[in-house]
Amino acid sequence: MNITERFLNYTKFDTQSSEESETVPSTSKQLIFARYLKDELEEIGLQDVSLDDKGYIYATLPSNIKGEAPVIGFISHYDTSPDCSGADIKPHIVSNYGGGDIELSEGIMLSPGKFPELLQHVGEDLIVTDGHTLLGADDKAGIAEIVQAMVYLKEHKEIKHGKIRVAFNPDEEIGMGAHHFDVEKFGCEWAYTMDGGDVGELEFENFNAASAKITIKGVSVHPGYAKGKMLNASLLAAEFVSMLPADETPETTEGYQGFYHLTGMQTQTEQAKLSYIIRDHDREKFEDRKHFIQRVVEQMNEKYGEGTVTADINDQYYNMKEKIDPQMHVIDLVLRAMQESGVTPKVRPIRGGTDGAQLSFKGLPCPNIFAGGINFHGPYEFVPIQSMEKAMQVVVKICELTADFNK
């Protein structure tokens, strides 16, 4: 099975996670794929393959050298985003892309006019959706690349490598992927998540991240007799939104700029609920953003009465840079592996986060490497086959270079 066949096979599984769930994993359908993946790892000959009750999969490719080498790992998540359906995905391949519009379905176009990054992949073979679901390259492309690299190393015993660990987990898309990851069991000195975007991306700076759940209590009265009595929670929700900076949202920021992102809103006269995510690369600015949300809550309560508005703010992950900086050999190794694989490195901050951010704070330095997918979390997602092949080659090269790391 080649890497394309492997990835397309993975897209048959609906593994969408859910922010509303309190179970681990957040959706039972993720476990269906996890069991399939466990069996596949055993079939290709990996050792110590295990699947725990929370959906975390661990496996080992044993060392084929006599001396000592650092134990390293590769990690990807198998859930897909709640933002777009991952059920009944119908991928198709656009061979030798010519640079024009791609018709996904009748009336649905993937166009370089809107997505200019397409033009960077002219002449390549693109896997696209039918325009009605996401593709799942985030992060099943990463899984396919890791598994294919392990197959390649087993088939090419002349490539020397130390002990390699792989792990696949649920619920990354809802910020919970690393919460139950067993770093001690994984047993690596460092690891890499294969969860980045276009070819060459290498990321070891990410957002500090928090979620904010805003609850607004209103008073519902018959509108014909509401004067002086009604407190419309829907209007208060609109007021709350207006009090946050309009120029500090995802659609108005880039690079190292942080934001407040309204991800959901449920409103009625009696009650309103707002869901936000808060992001900033700078830790001090991140803390300021959380405090600002609290100040808005206090101002509204001063105006409408104590307890009218409440905020439940929870940190999700932090910027891994402070954990990677003291161990830059982890980055140097990837840069060399990319260069020897014919890939031009593109080191940039992540405007998001990965499981590696949380794992770095749990004692496992874990930067992020490209997986090749583009336009994640929506129906315009695509992945060039050549990008997946390059990512697989980089994994193989990292394993090979690590064998000589201590020499």
Side-chain angles (χ1 to χ4, degrees), residues 259-273:
F259 58 73
Y260 306 91
H261 179 34
L262 178 62
T263 61
M265 176 184 290
Q266 297 176 338
T267 71
Q268 294 178 320
T269 302
E270 185 73 23
Q271 181 173 272
K273 292 185 178 181

Side-chain angles (χ1 to χ4, degrees), residues 68-75 162-165 181 183-192 323-324 327 329-330 333 359-360 362-367 402 405-406:
E68 292 293 324
V71 179
I72 65 168
F74 296 91
I75 302 166
K163 179 179 177 181
I164 309 298
R165 292 280 279 162
F181 193 104
V183 170
E184 184 176 352
K185 178 178 180 178
F186 197 44
C188 294
E189 292 189 35
W190 70 83
Y192 302 97
K323 299 297 182 181
I324 301 295
Q327 305 191 61
H329 60 274
V330 174
L333 194 68
L359 293 172
S360 294
K362 294 177 74 171
L364 179 66
C366 196
T402 308
F405 185 78
N406 287 336

Side-chain angles (χ1 to χ4, degrees), residues 34-60:
R35 287 190 283 267
Y36 171 87
L37 196 53
K38 174 181 180 291
D39 291 344
E40 184 177 67
L41 296 177
E42 291 174 337
E43 288 172 8
I44 68 172
L46 295 191
Q47 297 182 10
D48 306 321
V49 181
S50 65
L51 169 63
D52 67 23
D53 60 349
K54 291 180 171 59
Y56 290 71
I57 306 166
Y58 306 93
T60 301

Side-chain angles (χ1 to χ4, degrees), residues 162-311:
K163 179 179 177 181
I164 309 298
R165 292 280 279 162
V166 301
F168 306 119
N169 59 268
D171 291 341
E172 188 269 354
E173 296 292 0
I174 59 172
M176 301 292 290
H179 283 212
H180 300 279
F181 193 104
D182 193 333
V183 170
E184 184 176 352
K185 178 178 180 178
F186 197 44
C188 294
E189 292 189 35
W190 70 83
Y192 302 97
T193 50
M194 300 297 296
D195 193 21
D198 210 351
V199 171
E201 288 188 4
L202 172 59
E203 302 155 326
F204 59 96
E205 297 181 71
N206 60 275
F207 276 139
N208 296 290
S211 65
K213 304 293 185 181
I214 311 300
T215 302
I216 302 173
K217 295 179 181 178
V219 178
S220 181
V221 179
H222 188 290
Y225 308 95
K227 186 174 182 179
K229 301 174 184 176
M230 178 184 287
L231 187 61
N232 191 332
S234 295
L235 292 178
L236 267 61
E239 182 177 345
F240 185 96
V241 172
S242 72
M243 294 174 71
L244 270 61
D247 60 348
E248 296 182 20
T249 63
E251 58 268 40
T252 62
T253 53
E254 62 183 354
Y256 286 96
Q257 296 172 324
F259 58 73
Y260 306 91
H261 179 34
L262 178 62
T263 61
M265 176 184 290
Q266 297 176 338
T267 71
Q268 294 178 320
T269 302
E270 185 73 23
Q271 181 173 272
K273 292 185 178 181
L274 308 177
S275 297
Y276 278 92
I277 59 173
I278 304 167
R279 300 290 188 265
D280 209 296
H281 282 91
D282 185 280
R283 185 64 174 267
E284 184 175 344
K285 292 179 180 178
F286 171 65
E287 297 298 332
D288 287 343
R289 289 186 181 280
K290 292 188 292 181
H291 293 152
F292 182 77
I293 290 281
Q294 291 286 12
R295 287 199 299 273
V296 172
V297 169
E298 292 168 3
Q299 289 171 19
M300 292 197 69
N301 284 333
E302 289 174 4
K303 184 175 180 180
Y304 295 107
E306 191 64 33
T308 301
V309 183
T310 57

